[in-house]
Amino acid sequence: MTPLETLAKWTSEIAAADVPAAQHRRARLRLLDTLGLIAAAAEHPAGRSLAAWADANPGTGAHVLISGCATSPAVAALVHGSLAHARDFDDSFSETVVHPGSIVIATALATAERADAEFDAITTSIIVGYEIAARLGAVAGRGFHARGFHATSIVGPIAAASAAARVLALDATATADALGLATSMSSGLLAFLADGGWSKWLHTGWSAHGGIIAAELASHGFRGPHFSLDHQYGLYGAFLGTPAAALDVLAAGLGETWLGAAASAKSFPCAHVIQPYIEAVLALREEGRLLPDDVQSMTCVLAPWALPIVAVPRPAKIAPRNDLEAIASLPFMVAAALRDGRVDLTTLHPETIGRADIVALAARIECQGDDRLGFGFNGRMNIALRDGRRLSRAVTLSEPSEDQIVAKFRANTARLPPQACSVLEHALLNDAPRGQALVQLALATLAKQ
């Protein structure tokens, strides 16, 4: 079998009972987290634009959760996938910076609604999608980013196709067709870094959209290329220029070692690599060891791969022009955390982004690369104080607990009806609603009344 056929066979044959209970529990939390992220972005101008687009493209089989609009699963998935990533508050794999949740959850919800899938089929499809995303990304590492591509949207359509194929119960051949078709839907440039365009947020929605289309076409017998991972013009040959990429990781321990479990939820709405630096400065503030006006200068030491994402160009990182630039600015986010004692969705409001006190402090924060830090999110923070003292602190990415993820959901849905939010939360964490019942619960919570 080709590497793609191996993934397809596993995807088509795995049953809910084959997956450890801990993975199903993790899928429940990822559903909860993602629905909260969709709610958090609903009132953003990008969210209103997406909802208006869906209204102009009505259909059957699925609903847009923030508006109640009836549409096709592929359209609903595009809206939800884009919304879930629009505050950059969604989970990611630290080694590849691939964001799986916004893609996979959007796909599973849309396909499960039309199929009225059982709940364990929904969680299994989520687990499968995360696993495929993890393994496809692991082959490339940071290679896609290095060539100017958004890694999330390169592996995303294929992960989405696997989740959709699992819900649709496609056999191994049709699943391979779906995955093969999805490789031709891989795309996504890092050009948004220049001016904060919204294409970054569309990448996750487009991936979910493409994956569903691929699976639906395959279910009707439309053939896809089965050599599209290992061919000289396949995924890695085309996007990395390395058709001989080491593909062993794709199948090593498949179904026994759950690489998808490594996706980490975020505690703050910003690029994930910034999170440990926010945590460090908040801890110093809480300990009473650091106040904003104490800072003479601060150097955040991080892995060199992250510098182009969160540290340069320096003028835009000190004084972001919009929310997308703020999300990707380490100096701005650390300064905001130290000034306000928090980083949350209000940090992305225009009035916060334009605050002179935050910008002035951000100007005293520099970033420096250290080759010894490799591909993780860990680093150091060195601070010179105005009184001559110096502070140094190691920074390490922490994994939010279940209680923290629940609290995050509650914060992201705080403007919505409390009773409906509680019912949805309880159902996701404790019950087993089928696809249509789950969507109805989400509609009762998220849709504009």
Side-chain angles (χ1 to χ4, degrees):
M1 290 190 292
T2 69
L4 184 140
E5 288 170 338
T6 299
L7 294 180
K9 184 175 187 295
W10 176 77
T11 295
S12 67
E13 294 180 353
I14 190 170
D18 297 330
V19 181
Q23 301 304 322
H24 284 288
R25 184 64 182 178
R26 186 173 280 111
R28 286 177 178 269
L29 290 167
R30 287 167 169 170
L31 265 168
L32 184 76
D33 189 24
T34 303
L35 287 172
L37 299 175
I38 291 169
E43 295 302 316
H44 187 277
R48 293 195 292 270
S49 174
L50 288 161
W53 173 77
D55 285 342
N57 288 274
T60 60
H63 290 83
V64 175
L65 298 179
I66 63 171
S67 67
C69 167
T71 190
S72 68
V75 168
L78 187 148
V79 173
H80 299 149
S82 300
L83 285 170
H85 189 48
R87 303 290 73 200
D88 226 301
F89 215 174
D90 50 336
D91 58 15
S92 67
F93 294 110
S94 63
E95 293 297 314
T96 60
V97 201
V98 167
H99 297 268
S102 46
I103 298 167
V104 172
I105 302 294
T107 301
L109 282 171
T111 51
E113 182 182 6
R114 169 173 278 176
D116 197 25
E118 294 184 355
F119 189 75
D120 63 358
I122 299 172
T123 56
T124 302
S125 74
I126 292 168
I127 294 161
V128 166
Y130 269 78
E131 195 65 23
I132 298 300
R135 290 169 180 273
L136 291 170
V139 174
R142 296 278 163 70
F144 293 132
H145 282 92
R147 292 173 67 92
F149 299 113
H150 191 195
T152 296
S153 54
I154 303 302
V155 307
I158 312 164
S162 70
R166 183 66 240 146
V167 172
L168 297 175
L170 301 187
D171 64 21
T173 299
T175 299
D177 288 335
L179 301 188
L181 292 170
T183 59
S184 282
M185 300 176 186
S186 295
S187 61
L189 303 176
L190 296 178
F192 56 81
L193 292 173
D195 60 3
W198 294 348
S199 59
K200 182 179 192 291
W201 305 336
L202 178 64
H203 290 166
T204 48
W206 187 258
S207 294
H209 177 90
I212 289 176
I213 294 293
E216 290 179 345
L217 284 169
S219 75
H220 290 280
F222 200 92
R223 290 178 55 198
H226 291 200
F227 287 84
S228 57
L229 296 181
D230 52 337
H231 192 270
Q232 63 174 327
Y233 299 133
L235 190 79
Y236 302 105
F239 285 102
L240 297 181
T242 55
L247 302 182
D248 292 350
V249 69
L250 292 176
L254 191 59
E256 298 176 0
T257 302
W258 299 94
L259 300 186
S264 177
K266 287 185 183 177
S267 299
F268 309 106
C270 63
H272 215 156
V273 69
I274 299 174
Q275 179 168 311
Y277 298 87
I278 294 174
E279 291 175 346
V281 81
L282 287 176
L284 288 168
R285 192 181 190 275
E286 180 68 22
E287 294 164 8
R289 299 175 63 194
L290 187 64
L291 295 174
D293 293 335
D294 294 341
V295 177
Q296 177 68 40
S297 65
M298 180 186 299
T299 300
C300 294
V301 182
L302 60 160
W305 67 263
L307 291 174
I309 300 173
V310 301
V312 295
R314 185 160 171 77
K317 302 305 181 184
I318 293 173
R321 296 167 292 181
N322 51 58
D323 51 354
L324 193 141
E325 289 188 350
I327 282 167
S329 169
L330 192 154
F332 175 84
M333 284 292 173
V334 169
L338 187 53
R339 283 288 182 194
D340 296 342
R342 56 177 169 75
V343 168
D344 55 25
L345 293 173
T346 65
T347 307
L348 302 181
H349 290 177
E351 55 269 26
T352 306
I353 293 172
R355 273 174 45 193
D357 61 331
I358 296 178
V359 171
L361 180 56
R364 303 202 294 275
I365 300 173
E366 297 186 352
C367 299
Q368 177 182 324
D370 184 341
D371 290 328
R372 294 171 297 178
L373 292 174
F375 293 104
F377 289 179
N378 298 343
R380 297 189 307 279
M381 180 178 286
N382 301 318
I383 307 167
L385 304 180
R386 293 187 186 277
D387 63 7
R389 290 181 297 134
R390 293 183 177 274
L391 298 174
S392 183
R393 193 178 188 99
V395 301
T396 304
L397 182 68
S398 64
E399 176 68 24
S401 66
E402 179 168 328
D403 286 345
Q404 288 173 314
I405 292 173
V406 171
K408 176 183 170 183
F409 170 79
R410 293 173 181 173
N412 282 335
T413 58
R415 63 178 180 79
L416 300 173
Q419 180 60 29
C421 291
S422 295
V423 170
L424 178 60
E425 176 187 317
H426 184 275
L428 290 174
L429 296 181
N430 302 285
D431 299 333
R434 296 181 69 98
Q436 292 176 7
L438 173 56
V439 169
Q440 287 304 311
L441 286 172
L443 283 168
T445 308
L446 275 63
K448 294 178 181 178
Q449 304 299 314

